[in-house]
Amino acid sequence: MSEIKLEHLVKKYGDGFAAVNDVSLDIRDGEFMILVGPSGCGKSTLLRMVVGLEDITSGDLHINGERVNDKAPRDRNLAMVFQNYALYPHLSVYENIAFPLRLQRSRHPEPEIDEMVRRAAGLLELEEHLERKPANLSGGQRQRVAMGRALVRDADAFLFDEPLSNLDAKLRGQMRTEIARIQRRLGTTTIYVTHDQTEAMTLGDRVAVLRRGILQQCASPRELYEQPVNLFVAGFIGSPPMNFLPGRVEGDVLHLPIGDVPLPEAARAAATGHDLLIAGIRPELFEDASVLDRSRQAGGVLVDLDIDVTEWLGNELYAYVPYEPDPAVRAKLDELDRDLDGEGMRTQLVVSLDAQSRVRDGDRARLWFDPARMHLFDPESGVTLTRDEEVAARLDAENEDLRQGSLERARRAADRAVPA
Amino acid sequence: MDRQLSTRAKVGWALGGLAILVYALFPVAWIVSLSLKAPSDLSNQQFLPTRFSLENYREIFTGNASELFLSALRNSVGICLIATFISVVLAMFAAYAIARLEFPGKRLILSTALAVAIFPVISIVTPLFNLWRQIGLYDTWPGLIIPYLSLTLPISIWTLSAFFREIPWEMEQAAQVDGATNWQAFRKVIVPLAAPGVFTTAIISFFIAWNDFVYGISLTSTERARPVPAALAFFTGSSQFELPTGAISAAAVIVTIPVVVLILLFQRRIVAGLTNGAVKG
Ligand SMILES: Nc1ncnc2c1ncn2[C@@H]1O[C@H](COP(=O)(O)OP(=O)(O)O)[C@@H](O)[C@H]1O
Ligand SMILES: [Mg+2]
């Protein structure tokens, strides 16, 4: 059992810069928590504060109900995998993994150490490499040794700092599933830092999105995707990213650069008092009208667009439609782009269509989408106006149920595997 | 075309290397040959001895010159080892601070060390001579160890801080998270990683002290503290009509041997240590 509680944590570096600013998180027992955000947003700093390598400027950190702000790393009983693995180059793989155990020699006799190291090595398929030195291993193997060193002892929680960022894309995918499998199996509380939203979405029970040291939203992947609290979260989560279009409100109609759409029932209340809104439409909400079921067309609107470039990927087709943004929201969208590590590229709409679609570069295509699933944002504050708290709460509860269920299953499976 | 050029280049390099080798090794070969000549052969104007004789070696180890030579050898070894040890320990602390900590005056320390290193030794010998005589350090071991530190410390600090900068300090943090105390992290992780650098530095320091002549000759007067390079100048022939050339050559060969052996044994380490600052691993 281990719960980690962050209460108003602040980290100010020597120059007075607040790398982490008033972050509160409640990480539950056995939970896989992701810290995600663009580079430089303070994820690593926050993780290092939890593990004890960085002093806490203000706020409290509790592990299992005990305040640990002033405890040395070794007294916090957390295991960490570093971004560049930090393997000990002068020790063999075996000794690297055994290192944490040897430091508590009083508690482990030699045969027990051997058994624990071999069990960890077995879990990570490192048995053949135990006698080798880290310098002679491939990137993926080193990564697994680093994980072995973390798994081998009975730590209260695992902390990962971008553990997959040094691997190539294929290996990254494999290791990602491997980490998910091991975490489920051991049911150990885990905090995982990444800048990659795919990793965040696939691994996390819950995901905490950070921007410039400030926590934006902490929720299940599904809630982040469907009910983001603001422009930043909406733009960060999802790939390809959400399209942001300026929209002028006129009665019940919203004028978008791609055409006029009726304001959906639910959004009307939110839109009152605003002339100008930012509309967020995910690429996959668009469909090619010519291959869409007649029955589905009823609920949505049709827009005719000039397609600039298409990319056919086999399972889907991306089409790009450039447009001129409204100068009134230009500044806001540029700022958002910078926050998201964007390149300040041309403003264009990205749509993801069925792979059956015959739309090609230069075509004028008729696309369909359902405005009811569109998000609307306040152009000044960036707050989501269409967020439905009830739905969000339901998603949250559902997510927690599912998590408890799978943790329960994993624990039962583990009990069966190791009869008491 | 490519191949031809590279063959020609190879031959050129080989010839160039050979020329340098001959140029550098010829005096060494000459001394070795001199040391093996019998006294009657010494000025026969031939490169090789007509008859190989170990008489010169006998002379310095058991003969007339032995008193001078053996005590000088003992002085040299003792003084150089102590100077090396002190300089490496001090340089380790300094380099650790320079590599790990941000503090005002960091650049000042490094540039002062460099300034000391290039300061001409000969200009401080006379004042030192007077000072040492006044405070009783003249012709003692500490009287040489202290000036030797001024030779070895700057280079030790520079080599070690270049080396320490390359140590991935995240490793120390990893060890702490793994459950090590600060001291355990230092001893089990940092020391093994730093050892090659410390070792290289120690060898370089030792040679610098070992090769010194100016301090050795100026700050000593008897065999109490006189090191080998200085002692060579005091060798006399067996009679006043004989030059001590043979004995000097033999002694020179003997003091070169540790240098050559150490270099050969630790060639790789030294090269790795020296290039460590320049090449990122
Ligand atoms: N030792 C330090 N001194 C001063 N500023 C730092 C230090 N370490 C990190 N920072 C700053 O804190 C911010 C957050 O850094 P970090 O936590 O490493 O970001 P992330 O891991 O999200 O990329 C960055 O702007 C960085 O420049
Ligand atoms: Mg980071």
Side-chain angles (χ1 to χ4, degrees), chain A residues 48 84 87-88 90 153, chain B residues 170-171 173 177-178 188:
Chain A
R48 292 163 59 81
N84 57 7
L87 301 179
Y88 310 122
H90 58 294
R153 75 198 155 104
Chain B
E170 206 173 29
M171 218 82 79
Q173 302 182 340
V177 175
D178 280 343
K188 296 193 179 226

Side-chain angles (χ1 to χ4, degrees), chain A residues 226-238:
Chain A
E226 292 178 2
Q227 301 288 338
V229 294
N230 60 25
L231 264 179
F232 178 82
V233 175
F236 189 78
I237 301 292

Side-chain angles (χ1 to χ4, degrees), chain A residues 86-104:
Chain A
L87 301 179
Y88 310 122
H90 58 294
L91 299 178
S92 65
V93 169
Y94 183 100
E95 286 302 325
N96 260 284
I97 298 178
F99 189 82
L101 299 176
R102 294 209 189 282
L103 290 172
Q104 350 167 306

Side-chain angles (χ1 to χ4, degrees), chain B residues 199-200 203 260-274:
Chain B
F199 200 76
T200 312
I203 292 179
V260 174
V261 168
L262 278 180
I263 293 271
L264 286 182
L265 278 182
F266 300 110
Q267 204 172 20
R268 284 191 169 197
R269 279 259 164 99
I270 293 173
V271 173
L274 285 178

Side-chain angles (χ1 to χ4, degrees), chain A residues 79-284:
Chain A
M80 178 154 168
V81 175
F82 288 78
Q83 183 166 6
N84 57 7
Y85 316 143
L87 301 179
Y88 310 122
H90 58 294
L91 299 178
S92 65
V93 169
Y94 183 100
E95 286 302 325
N96 260 284
I97 298 178
F99 189 82
L101 299 176
R102 294 209 189 282
L103 290 172
Q104 350 167 306
R105 191 191 297 269
S106 52
R107 284 202 279 157
H108 300 287
E110 194 60 34
E112 198 182 320
I113 290 185
D114 190 64
E115 192 202 312
M116 289 169 90
V117 170
R118 288 188 192 280
R119 192 174 339 127
L123 201 61
L124 293 158
E125 296 176 11
L126 282 169
E127 291 106 327
E128 302 139 52
H129 309 296
L130 283 176
E131 298 315 317
R132 298 172 73 191
K133 287 278 169 67
N136 304 328
L137 301 178
S138 70
Q141 289 164 344
R142 283 181 209 177
Q143 214 277 327
R144 278 182 283 155
V145 177
M147 281 182 55
R149 198 173 64 190
L151 300 181
V152 72
R153 75 198 155 104
D154 197 18
D156 279 342
F158 298 144
L159 312 182
F160 293 88
D161 191 354
E162 311 215 14
L164 306 183
S165 60
N166 289 337
L167 303 180
D168 62 49
K170 180 159 173 252
L171 207 51
R172 206 178 307 154
Q174 287 173 357
M175 282 312 295
R176 196 172 69 208
T177 23
E178 201 55 35
I179 290 177
R181 182 172 300 130
I182 291 173
Q183 199 272 344
R184 287 286 173 260
R185 194 155 136 196
L186 302 176
T188 308
T189 313
T190 301
I191 310 180
Y192 184 106
V193 162
T194 178
H195 67 263
D196 180 298
Q197 62 94 24
T198 316
E199 266 173 42
M201 299 292 273
T202 50
L203 285 172
D205 289 321
R206 280 192 302 158
V207 179
V209 184
L210 289 166
R211 171 192 176 220
R212 299 189 195 161
I214 298 173
L215 179 64
Q216 305 290 303
Q217 185 173 9
C218 173
S220 66
R222 185 165 188 147
E223 185 184 332
L224 288 183
Y225 194 80
E226 292 178 2
Q227 301 288 338
V229 294
N230 60 25
L231 264 179
F232 178 82
V233 175
F236 189 78
I237 301 292
S239 169
M242 187 186 278
N243 296 297
F244 294 117
L245 303 170
R248 291 205 172 269
V249 186
E250 223 169 78
D252 288 347
V253 181
L254 186 66
H255 298 288
L256 296 173
I258 55 169
D260 295 348
V261 301
L263 262 182
E265 203 74 49
R268 272 181 211 160
T272 46
H274 294 276
D275 297 338
L276 187 66
L277 293 170
I278 294 176
I281 313 174
R282 295 220 177 262
E284 59 273 22

